[in-house]
Amino acid sequence: DAKTTQPNSMESNEEEPVHLPCNHSTISGTDYIHWYRQLPSQGPEYVIHGLTSNVNNRMASLAIAEDRKSSTLILHRATLRDAAVYYCILRGGAGANSKLTFGKGITLSVRP
Amino acid sequence: NAGVTQTPKFQVLKTGQSMTLQCAQDMNHNSMYWYRQDPGMGLRLIYYSASEGTTDKGEVPNGYNVSRLNKREFSLRLESAAPSQTSVYFCASSERQGFGNSPLHFGNGTRLTVT
């Protein structure tokens, strides 16, 4: 099964950039890399996804390594509201429910 | 636009009781999912429905049944609740399962306690 590994936690200062890493060394050619975040007492929220090229949206940027075995979610200016658990998962492949697995994610703390 | 709606938000059951968790989405998505999340853990997939009329087991299906009532609705049933099923349950939907370019959209969860 193609799985992802992330550090358990990271800390950041408010208004500074944050780089959240994810390793997925067994990724297959059809897998998209997805990031979600979960605020306390809420359901996970979609952040961004990509296949090969770097992606930007209003929430974050996704940098994907050339060999696709790792990726980094970039929050350009962390705010206190960005304190959450961030999950990196792989999606793709017909009928493969293993591609729907969420690990424990990275718990991001933001210091004022 | 409500997205994914789950009911109830909270529920307390006694061991052996049954209940059905309801989920509905208004995004015309084909695929729907049920996850559970225990304290300090990630989300574990219970069942999913790739399309209307189909359901498949996920990682932790024991003790649960599901029904894809129509394209909008996907329910999760606990026939005989056990304390080990105390958890937060999340429903999600996506345009299409097996299509990686299709984000998941989650509801806000049902917090279930079994005593």
PDB file of all heavy atoms in Angstrom, chain B residues 25 27-32 49-52 68 71 93-97:
ATOM      1  N   GLN B  25     -25.375  14.729   1.188  1.00  0.00           N
ATOM      2  CA  GLN B  25     -24.559  15.741   0.505  1.00  0.00           C
ATOM      3  C   GLN B  25     -25.369  16.345  -0.642  1.00  0.00           C
ATOM      4  O   GLN B  25     -26.169  15.661  -1.276  1.00  0.00           O
ATOM      5  CB  GLN B  25     -23.230  15.134   0.010  1.00  0.00           C
ATOM      6  CG  GLN B  25     -23.348  13.872  -0.825  1.00  0.00           C
ATOM      7  CD  GLN B  25     -23.463  14.086  -2.302  1.00  0.00           C
ATOM      8  OE1 GLN B  25     -23.275  15.205  -2.805  1.00  0.00           O
ATOM      9  NE2 GLN B  25     -23.759  13.004  -3.030  1.00  0.00           N
ATOM     10  N   MET B  27     -23.857  18.111  -3.263  1.00  0.00           N
ATOM     11  CA  MET B  27     -22.889  18.505  -4.293  1.00  0.00           C
ATOM     12  C   MET B  27     -22.956  17.592  -5.516  1.00  0.00           C
ATOM     13  O   MET B  27     -22.086  17.670  -6.388  1.00  0.00           O
ATOM     14  CB  MET B  27     -21.482  18.492  -3.683  1.00  0.00           C
ATOM     15  CG  MET B  27     -21.305  19.547  -2.602  1.00  0.00           C
ATOM     16  SD  MET B  27     -19.749  19.395  -1.691  1.00  0.00           S
ATOM     17  CE  MET B  27     -20.140  18.020  -0.617  1.00  0.00           C
ATOM     18  N   ASN B  28     -23.945  16.729  -5.562  1.00  0.00           N
ATOM     19  CA  ASN B  28     -24.105  15.788  -6.674  1.00  0.00           C
ATOM     20  C   ASN B  28     -22.891  14.867  -6.828  1.00  0.00           C
ATOM     21  O   ASN B  28     -22.534  14.460  -7.940  1.00  0.00           O
ATOM     22  CB  ASN B  28     -24.379  16.517  -7.989  1.00  0.00           C
ATOM     23  CG  ASN B  28     -25.034  15.607  -9.024  1.00  0.00           C
ATOM     24  OD1 ASN B  28     -25.839  14.736  -8.680  1.00  0.00           O
ATOM     25  ND2 ASN B  28     -24.708  15.803 -10.285  1.00  0.00           N
ATOM     26  N   HIS B  29     -22.270  14.538  -5.691  1.00  0.00           N
ATOM     27  CA  HIS B  29     -21.101  13.654  -5.733  1.00  0.00           C
ATOM     28  C   HIS B  29     -21.521  12.208  -5.887  1.00  0.00           C
ATOM     29  O   HIS B  29     -22.560  11.778  -5.394  1.00  0.00           O
ATOM     30  CB  HIS B  29     -20.287  13.817  -4.444  1.00  0.00           C
ATOM     31  CG  HIS B  29     -19.477  15.061  -4.425  1.00  0.00           C
ATOM     32  ND1 HIS B  29     -18.849  15.514  -3.276  1.00  0.00           N
ATOM     33  CD2 HIS B  29     -19.168  15.960  -5.395  1.00  0.00           C
ATOM     34  CE1 HIS B  29     -18.190  16.630  -3.551  1.00  0.00           C
ATOM     35  NE2 HIS B  29     -18.374  16.919  -4.836  1.00  0.00           N
ATOM     36  N   ASN B  30     -20.665  11.445  -6.567  1.00  0.00           N
ATOM     37  CA  ASN B  30     -20.953  10.032  -6.772  1.00  0.00           C
ATOM     38  C   ASN B  30     -20.536   9.166  -5.587  1.00  0.00           C
ATOM     39  O   ASN B  30     -21.165   8.151  -5.311  1.00  0.00           O
ATOM     40  CB  ASN B  30     -20.222   9.520  -8.017  1.00  0.00           C
ATOM     41  CG  ASN B  30     -20.816  10.080  -9.278  1.00  0.00           C
ATOM     42  OD1 ASN B  30     -21.973   9.824  -9.601  1.00  0.00           O
ATOM     43  ND2 ASN B  30     -20.036  10.875  -9.999  1.00  0.00           N
ATOM     44  N   SER B  31     -19.450   9.539  -4.904  1.00  0.00           N
ATOM     45  CA  SER B  31     -18.865   8.671  -3.884  1.00  0.00           C
ATOM     46  C   SER B  31     -19.043   9.243  -2.485  1.00  0.00           C
ATOM     47  O   SER B  31     -18.957  10.453  -2.286  1.00  0.00           O
ATOM     48  CB  SER B  31     -17.367   8.481  -4.161  1.00  0.00           C
ATOM     49  OG  SER B  31     -17.177   7.959  -5.464  1.00  0.00           O
ATOM     50  N   MET B  32     -19.274   8.339  -1.544  1.00  0.00           N
ATOM     51  CA  MET B  32     -19.450   8.754  -0.152  1.00  0.00           C
ATOM     52  C   MET B  32     -18.729   7.793   0.772  1.00  0.00           C
ATOM     53  O   MET B  32     -18.490   6.626   0.403  1.00  0.00           O
ATOM     54  CB  MET B  32     -20.942   8.837   0.195  1.00  0.00           C
ATOM     55  CG  MET B  32     -21.685   9.882  -0.635  1.00  0.00           C
ATOM     56  SD  MET B  32     -23.404  10.090  -0.186  1.00  0.00           S
ATOM     57  CE  MET B  32     -23.252  11.014   1.360  1.00  0.00           C
ATOM     58  N   SER B  49     -18.856   4.070  -0.476  1.00  0.00           N
ATOM     59  CA  SER B  49     -19.742   3.777  -1.596  1.00  0.00           C
ATOM     60  C   SER B  49     -19.207   4.522  -2.799  1.00  0.00           C
ATOM     61  O   SER B  49     -19.276   5.742  -2.862  1.00  0.00           O
ATOM     62  CB  SER B  49     -21.172   4.228  -1.267  1.00  0.00           C
ATOM     63  OG  SER B  49     -21.991   4.150  -2.417  1.00  0.00           O
ATOM     64  N   ALA B  50     -18.623   3.797  -3.723  1.00  0.00           N
ATOM     65  CA  ALA B  50     -18.018   4.436  -4.892  1.00  0.00           C
ATOM     66  C   ALA B  50     -19.073   5.097  -5.776  1.00  0.00           C
ATOM     67  O   ALA B  50     -18.809   6.123  -6.406  1.00  0.00           O
ATOM     68  CB  ALA B  50     -17.212   3.420  -5.687  1.00  0.00           C
ATOM     69  N   SER B  51     -20.251   4.494  -5.824  1.00  0.00           N
ATOM     70  CA  SER B  51     -21.340   5.070  -6.609  1.00  0.00           C
ATOM     71  C   SER B  51     -22.655   4.539  -6.045  1.00  0.00           C
ATOM     72  O   SER B  51     -22.675   3.571  -5.271  1.00  0.00           O
ATOM     73  CB  SER B  51     -21.203   4.699  -8.080  1.00  0.00           C
ATOM     74  OG  SER B  51     -21.246   3.295  -8.234  1.00  0.00           O
ATOM     75  N   GLU B  52     -23.739   5.183  -6.452  1.00  0.00           N
ATOM     76  CA  GLU B  52     -25.058   4.757  -5.986  1.00  0.00           C
ATOM     77  C   GLU B  52     -25.259   3.282  -6.301  1.00  0.00           C
ATOM     78  O   GLU B  52     -24.994   2.830  -7.411  1.00  0.00           O
ATOM     79  CB  GLU B  52     -26.129   5.598  -6.685  1.00  0.00           C
ATOM     80  CG  GLU B  52     -27.517   5.399  -6.158  1.00  0.00           C
ATOM     81  CD  GLU B  52     -28.527   6.298  -6.857  1.00  0.00           C
ATOM     82  OE1 GLU B  52     -28.100   7.151  -7.652  1.00  0.00           O
ATOM     83  OE2 GLU B  52     -29.729   6.132  -6.602  1.00  0.00           O
ATOM     84  N   ARG B  68     -26.570   2.898   0.977  1.00  0.00           N
ATOM     85  CA  ARG B  68     -26.548   4.059   0.096  1.00  0.00           C
ATOM     86  C   ARG B  68     -27.978   4.203  -0.401  1.00  0.00           C
ATOM     87  O   ARG B  68     -28.410   3.573  -1.355  1.00  0.00           O
ATOM     88  CB  ARG B  68     -25.572   3.818  -1.067  1.00  0.00           C
ATOM     89  CG  ARG B  68     -25.433   5.024  -1.986  1.00  0.00           C
ATOM     90  CD  ARG B  68     -24.654   6.123  -1.348  1.00  0.00           C
ATOM     91  NE  ARG B  68     -24.576   7.311  -2.174  1.00  0.00           N
ATOM     92  CZ  ARG B  68     -23.591   7.552  -3.042  1.00  0.00           C
ATOM     93  NH1 ARG B  68     -22.613   6.670  -3.204  1.00  0.00           N
ATOM     94  NH2 ARG B  68     -23.583   8.662  -3.735  1.00  0.00           N
ATOM     95  N   LYS B  71     -28.412   8.855  -4.336  1.00  0.00           N
ATOM     96  CA  LYS B  71     -27.140   9.499  -4.625  1.00  0.00           C
ATOM     97  C   LYS B  71     -26.731  10.463  -3.511  1.00  0.00           C
ATOM     98  O   LYS B  71     -25.561  10.660  -3.229  1.00  0.00           O
ATOM     99  CB  LYS B  71     -27.211  10.236  -5.962  1.00  0.00           C
ATOM    100  CG  LYS B  71     -25.861  10.710  -6.459  1.00  0.00           C
ATOM    101  CD  LYS B  71     -25.951  11.262  -7.867  1.00  0.00           C
ATOM    102  CE  LYS B  71     -24.557  11.605  -8.381  1.00  0.00           C
ATOM    103  NZ  LYS B  71     -24.591  12.133  -9.764  1.00  0.00           N
ATOM    104  N   SER B  93     -17.709  13.021   1.126  1.00  0.00           N
ATOM    105  CA  SER B  93     -18.107  12.722  -0.245  1.00  0.00           C
ATOM    106  C   SER B  93     -17.036  13.235  -1.200  1.00  0.00           C
ATOM    107  O   SER B  93     -16.224  14.090  -0.853  1.00  0.00           O
ATOM    108  CB  SER B  93     -19.458  13.359  -0.579  1.00  0.00           C
ATOM    109  OG  SER B  93     -19.340  14.770  -0.668  1.00  0.00           O
ATOM    110  N   SER B  94     -17.022  12.664  -2.380  1.00  0.00           N
ATOM    111  CA  SER B  94     -16.138  13.146  -3.439  1.00  0.00           C
ATOM    112  C   SER B  94     -16.818  12.919  -4.780  1.00  0.00           C
ATOM    113  O   SER B  94     -17.730  12.099  -4.893  1.00  0.00           O
ATOM    114  CB  SER B  94     -14.778  12.440  -3.406  1.00  0.00           C
ATOM    115  OG  SER B  94     -14.889  11.095  -3.814  1.00  0.00           O
ATOM    116  N   GLU B  95     -16.340  13.626  -5.758  1.00  0.00           N
ATOM    117  CA  GLU B  95     -16.948  13.524  -7.081  1.00  0.00           C
ATOM    118  C   GLU B  95     -16.898  12.075  -7.555  1.00  0.00           C
ATOM    119  O   GLU B  95     -17.864  11.540  -8.069  1.00  0.00           O
ATOM    120  CB  GLU B  95     -16.211  14.446  -8.045  1.00  0.00           C
ATOM    121  CG  GLU B  95     -16.807  14.473  -9.433  1.00  0.00           C
ATOM    122  CD  GLU B  95     -16.049  15.404 -10.356  1.00  0.00           C
ATOM    123  OE1 GLU B  95     -15.313  16.269  -9.847  1.00  0.00           O
ATOM    124  OE2 GLU B  95     -16.169  15.250 -11.572  1.00  0.00           O
ATOM    125  N   ARG B  96     -15.757  11.435  -7.366  1.00  0.00           N
ATOM    126  CA  ARG B  96     -15.633  10.057  -7.852  1.00  0.00           C
ATOM    127  C   ARG B  96     -14.500   9.343  -7.136  1.00  0.00           C
ATOM    128  O   ARG B  96     -13.384   9.862  -7.054  1.00  0.00           O
ATOM    129  CB  ARG B  96     -15.368  10.093  -9.360  1.00  0.00           C
ATOM    130  CG  ARG B  96     -15.328   8.721 -10.020  1.00  0.00           C
ATOM    131  CD  ARG B  96     -15.725   8.789 -11.495  1.00  0.00           C
ATOM    132  NE  ARG B  96     -15.079   9.830 -12.253  1.00  0.00           N
ATOM    133  CZ  ARG B  96     -14.148   9.629 -13.190  1.00  0.00           C
ATOM    134  NH1 ARG B  96     -13.718   8.409 -13.432  1.00  0.00           N
ATOM    135  NH2 ARG B  96     -13.640  10.635 -13.862  1.00  0.00           N
ATOM    136  N   GLN B  97     -14.761   8.159  -6.623  1.00  0.00           N
ATOM    137  CA  GLN B  97     -13.722   7.346  -6.013  1.00  0.00           C
ATOM    138  C   GLN B  97     -12.863   6.749  -7.111  1.00  0.00           C
ATOM    139  O   GLN B  97     -13.339   6.451  -8.195  1.00  0.00           O
ATOM    140  CB  GLN B  97     -14.349   6.229  -5.170  1.00  0.00           C
ATOM    141  CG  GLN B  97     -13.396   5.134  -4.687  1.00  0.00           C
ATOM    142  CD  GLN B  97     -12.183   5.650  -3.961  1.00  0.00           C
ATOM    143  OE1 GLN B  97     -12.117   6.810  -3.566  1.00  0.00           O
ATOM    144  NE2 GLN B  97     -11.193   4.811  -3.779  1.00  0.00           N
TER     145      GLN B  97
END
